[in-house]
Amino acid sequence: MSERKQYQTFAVKKDGTKLPIEAESIIIKVGEEEIEISLIPPHSVFNGKLTLATGSAIQGREDERNSGTQLVIEPGASNVIHITPKRL
């Protein structure tokens, strides 16, 4: 089994300067919804892939379960996708 390695992560300033970030995950808040991006693959078979979680997956760690949230993924211009959390 191959080792799970943390992805290199940066905050990008307006001028394009990259600042390294040390974190296991990043949470982006969209309105009242949260999208979590794991910076360490949950399993070695997912090395090189990003894992997004929202709704009940995030709340499950706090022992809160409800109808959850789904991610709506829409194509954008050429190499862009739009990800929107929607409560079920």
Side-chain angles (χ1 to χ4, degrees):
M1 181 186 294
S2 63
E3 182 183 336
R4 297 180 310 149
K5 293 184 181 180
Q6 184 167 344
Y7 302 131
Q8 290 184 335
T9 311
F10 302 90
V12 181
K13 295 173 65 175
K14 260 186 172 178
D15 66 2
T17 305
K18 293 180 183 178
L19 302 171
I21 296 173
E22 288 192 35
E24 287 189 14
S25 65
I26 294 173
I27 294 179
I28 300 169
K29 198 160 175 86
V30 181
E32 293 183 14
E33 301 298 331
E34 294 180 342
I35 298 173
E36 182 176 8
I37 302 171
S38 176
L39 302 177
I40 301 172
H43 188 277
S44 60
V45 298
F46 297 110
N47 280 339
K49 296 176 172 62
L50 287 178
T51 301
L52 304 179
T54 189
S56 60
I58 293 172
Q59 294 162 355
R61 286 194 295 274
E62 300 163 3
D63 295 322
E64 295 177 14
R65 298 248 182 231
N66 59 22
S67 59
T69 303
Q70 73 180 154
L71 294 174
V72 177
I73 301 172
E74 303 170 299
S78 67
N79 61 348
V80 174
I81 60 169
H82 300 279
I83 301 171
T84 308
K86 300 278 184 183
R87 186 164 302 276
L88 299 174

